[in-house]
Coordinates of all heavy atoms in Angstrom, one line a residue:
L20 N -1.5 4.1 18.1 CA -1.4 2.9 17.4 C -2.9 2.2 17.5 O -3.5 1.8 16.5 CB -0.4 1.9 17.8 CG -0.3 0.6 17.2 CD1 0.1 0.7 15.7 CD2 0.8 -0.2 17.9
A21 N -3.4 2.1 18.8 CA -4.7 1.4 18.9 C -5.7 2.1 18.3 O -6.7 1.5 17.7 CB -4.8 1.3 20.5
L22 N -5.6 3.5 18.3 CA -6.7 4.3 17.7 C -6.7 4.1 16.3 O -7.8 3.9 15.6 CB -6.3 5.8 18.0 CG -7.3 6.8 17.5 CD1 -8.7 6.7 18.1 CD2 -6.8 8.3 17.8
R23 N -5.5 4.1 15.6 CA -5.4 3.8 14.2 C -6.1 2.5 13.7 O -6.8 2.3 12.8 CB -4.0 4.0 13.6 CG -4.0 3.7 12.1 CD -2.6 4.1 11.6 NE -2.7 4.0 10.1 CZ -2.1 3.1 9.3 NH1 -1.3 2.3 9.8 NH2 -2.3 3.1 8.0
H24 N -5.8 1.5 14.5 CA -6.2 0.1 14.2 C -7.7 -0.1 14.7 O -8.1 -1.3 14.4 CB -5.2 -0.9 14.8 CG -4.0 -1.0 14.0 ND1 -3.8 -1.9 13.0 CD2 -2.8 -0.2 14.1 CE1 -2.5 -1.7 12.4 NE2 -2.0 -0.6 13.1
R25 N -8.3 0.8 15.1 CA -9.8 0.7 15.3 C -10.4 0.7 14.0 O -11.6 0.2 13.8 CB -10.4 1.8 16.2 CG -10.1 1.6 17.8 CD -10.4 2.8 18.6 NE -11.9 3.2 18.5 CZ -12.4 4.2 19.0 NH1 -11.7 4.9 19.7 NH2 -13.7 4.3 18.9
R26 N -9.8 1.4 13.1 CA -10.3 1.5 11.6 C -9.4 0.4 10.8 O -8.7 0.8 9.9 CB -10.3 2.8 11.1 CG -11.2 3.8 11.8 CD -12.7 3.6 11.6 NE -13.4 4.8 11.9 CZ -14.7 4.7 12.2 NH1 -15.3 3.6 12.3 NH2 -15.3 5.8 12.5
D27 N -9.3 -0.8 11.2 CA -8.5 -1.8 10.7 C -8.6 -2.0 9.1 O -7.7 -2.3 8.5 CB -8.5 -3.1 11.3 CG -7.0 -3.5 11.9 OD1 -6.1 -2.7 11.7 OD2 -7.0 -4.6 12.6
K28 N -9.8 -1.9 8.6 CA -10.0 -2.0 7.2 C -9.3 -0.8 6.4 O -8.8 -1.1 5.3 CB -11.6 -1.8 6.9 CG -11.9 -2.2 5.5 CD -13.4 -2.3 5.2 CE -14.0 -3.6 5.7 NZ -15.4 -3.7 5.4
I29 N -9.3 0.4 7.0 CA -8.5 1.5 6.3 C -7.1 1.1 6.3 O -6.3 1.2 5.4 CB -8.8 2.7 7.0 CG1 -10.2 3.2 7.0 CG2 -7.9 3.9 6.4 CD1 -10.5 4.4 7.8
V30 N -6.6 0.7 7.5 CA -5.1 0.3 7.5 C -4.8 -0.8 6.6 O -3.7 -0.7 5.8 CB -4.8 -0.2 9.1 CG1 -3.3 -0.8 9.1 CG2 -5.1 0.9 10.1
A31 N -5.6 -1.9 6.4 CA -5.2 -3.0 5.6 C -5.3 -2.5 4.1 O -4.4 -2.9 3.4 CB -6.3 -4.1 5.8
A32 N -6.3 -1.8 3.8 CA -6.5 -1.5 2.3 C -5.4 -0.4 1.9 O -4.9 -0.3 0.8 CB -7.8 -0.9 2.2
S33 N -5.0 0.5 2.9 CA -3.9 1.4 2.6 C -2.7 0.6 2.3 O -2.0 1.0 1.3 CB -3.7 2.4 3.8 OG -4.9 3.2 4.1
Q34 N -2.2 -0.3 3.1 CA -1.1 -1.1 2.8 C -1.4 -1.9 1.6 O -0.4 -2.1 0.8 CB -0.9 -2.0 4.1 CG 0.4 -2.9 3.9 CD 1.6 -2.1 3.9 OE1 1.8 -1.0 4.4 NE2 2.6 -2.6 3.1
G35 N -2.6 -2.4 1.4 CA -2.9 -3.1 0.1 C -2.7 -2.3 -1.1 O -2.2 -2.8 -2.2
S36 N -3.0 -1.0 -1.0 CA -2.8 -0.1 -2.1 C -1.3 0.1 -2.4 O -0.8 0.1 -3.5 CB -3.4 1.3 -1.8 OG -4.8 1.2 -1.7
Y37 N -0.6 0.2 -1.4 CA 1.0 0.3 -1.4 C 1.5 -0.9 -2.2 O 2.3 -0.8 -3.2 CB 1.6 0.5 -0.2 CG 3.1 0.4 0.0 CD1 3.7 1.6 -0.4 CD2 3.8 -0.8 0.2 CE1 5.2 1.6 -0.2 CE2 5.1 -0.8 0.3 CZ 5.9 0.4 0.1 OH 7.3 0.3 0.0
D38 N 1.1 -2.1 -1.6 CA 1.6 -3.3 -2.3 C 1.3 -3.5 -3.7 O 2.1 -3.9 -4.5 CB 1.0 -4.5 -1.4 CG 1.5 -4.6 0.0 OD1 2.6 -4.0 0.3 OD2 0.9 -5.2 0.8
A39 N 0.1 -3.0 -4.1 CA -0.4 -3.2 -5.4 C 0.3 -2.3 -6.3 O 0.7 -2.5 -7.5 CB -1.9 -2.9 -5.6
L40 N 0.5 -1.0 -6.0 CA 1.2 0.0 -6.7 C 2.7 -0.2 -6.9 O 3.3 0.2 -8.0 CB 1.0 1.4 -6.1 CG -0.6 2.0 -6.4 CD1 -0.8 3.0 -5.3 CD2 -0.6 2.5 -7.8
F41 N 3.3 -0.9 -5.9 CA 4.7 -1.1 -6.1 C 5.0 -2.6 -6.3 O 6.1 -3.1 -6.0 CB 5.4 -0.7 -4.8 CG 5.3 0.9 -4.8 CD1 4.4 1.5 -3.9 CD2 6.0 1.7 -5.6 CE1 4.2 2.8 -3.9 CE2 5.9 3.1 -5.6 CZ 5.0 3.7 -4.7
D42 N 4.0 -3.4 -6.8 CA 4.3 -4.8 -7.2 C 5.2 -4.9 -8.3 O 5.1 -4.2 -9.4 CB 2.9 -5.3 -7.6 CG 3.0 -6.8 -8.0 OD1 4.2 -7.3 -8.0 OD2 1.9 -7.5 -8.2
P43 N 6.4 -5.5 -8.1 CA 7.4 -5.6 -9.1 C 6.9 -6.2 -10.5 O 7.4 -5.9 -11.6 CB 8.5 -6.5 -8.6 CG 8.3 -6.3 -7.0 CD 6.9 -6.2 -6.9
T44 N 5.8 -7.0 -10.4 CA 5.2 -7.7 -11.6 C 4.3 -6.9 -12.3 O 3.8 -7.2 -13.3 CB 4.7 -9.0 -11.3 OG1 3.6 -8.8 -10.5 CG2 5.7 -9.9 -10.4
L45 N 3.9 -5.6 -11.8 CA 2.9 -4.8 -12.5 C 3.4 -4.3 -13.8 O 4.4 -3.6 -13.8 CB 2.4 -3.7 -11.6 CG 1.4 -2.7 -12.0 CD1 0.0 -3.5 -11.9 CD2 1.3 -1.6 -11.1
P46 N 2.7 -4.6 -14.9 CA 3.3 -4.2 -16.3 C 2.9 -2.8 -16.5 O 2.1 -2.2 -15.9 CB 2.6 -5.2 -17.2 CG 1.1 -5.4 -16.5 CD 1.5 -5.4 -14.9
G47 N 3.7 -2.3 -17.5 CA 3.3 -1.0 -18.1 C 4.1 0.2 -17.6 O 4.4 1.2 -18.4
L48 N 4.6 0.2 -16.4 CA 5.3 1.2 -15.9 C 6.5 0.7 -15.0 O 6.0 0.0 -13.9 CB 4.5 2.2 -15.1 CG 5.2 3.6 -14.8 CD1 5.5 4.5 -16.0 CD2 4.3 4.5 -13.9
G49 N 7.7 0.8 -15.3 CA 8.8 0.1 -14.5 C 8.7 0.6 -13.1 O 8.5 1.7 -12.7
L50 N 9.3 -0.4 -12.2 CA 9.2 -0.1 -10.8 C 10.2 1.0 -10.4 O 9.9 1.8 -9.5 CB 9.7 -1.4 -10.0 CG 9.7 -1.2 -8.4 CD1 8.3 -0.8 -7.9 CD2 10.0 -2.6 -7.8
R51 N 11.4 1.2 -11.1 CA 12.3 2.3 -10.9 C 11.5 3.7 -11.1 O 11.6 4.6 -10.2 CB 13.5 2.2 -11.7 CG 14.5 3.4 -11.5 CD 15.8 3.3 -12.2 NE 16.6 2.3 -11.6 CZ 17.2 2.5 -10.4 NH1 17.2 3.7 -9.9 NH2 18.0 1.5 -9.9
T52 N 10.7 3.7 -12.2 CA 10.1 4.9 -12.5 C 9.0 5.2 -11.4 O 8.8 6.3 -10.9 CB 9.3 4.9 -13.8 OG1 10.4 4.7 -14.8 CG2 8.6 6.2 -14.1
R53 N 8.2 4.2 -11.0 CA 7.2 4.3 -9.9 C 7.9 4.8 -8.7 O 7.3 5.7 -8.0 CB 6.5 3.0 -9.7 CG 5.4 2.6 -10.8 CD 4.9 1.4 -10.5 NE 5.5 0.2 -11.2 CZ 5.5 -1.0 -10.8 NH1 4.9 -1.4 -9.7 NH2 6.1 -2.0 -11.5
L54 N 9.0 4.3 -8.3 CA 9.7 4.7 -7.1 C 10.2 6.1 -7.2 O 10.2 6.9 -6.2 CB 10.8 3.8 -6.6 CG 10.2 2.4 -6.2 CD1 11.6 1.4 -6.2 CD2 9.6 2.5 -4.8

């Protein structure tokens, strides 16, 4: 865990990518289809 968080920018932006891709308000492709 500590080793992974030494690269905290990667951790934060990986989670940020997940949040952006599965944002319920993202238009164009339904959340059910994305999941």
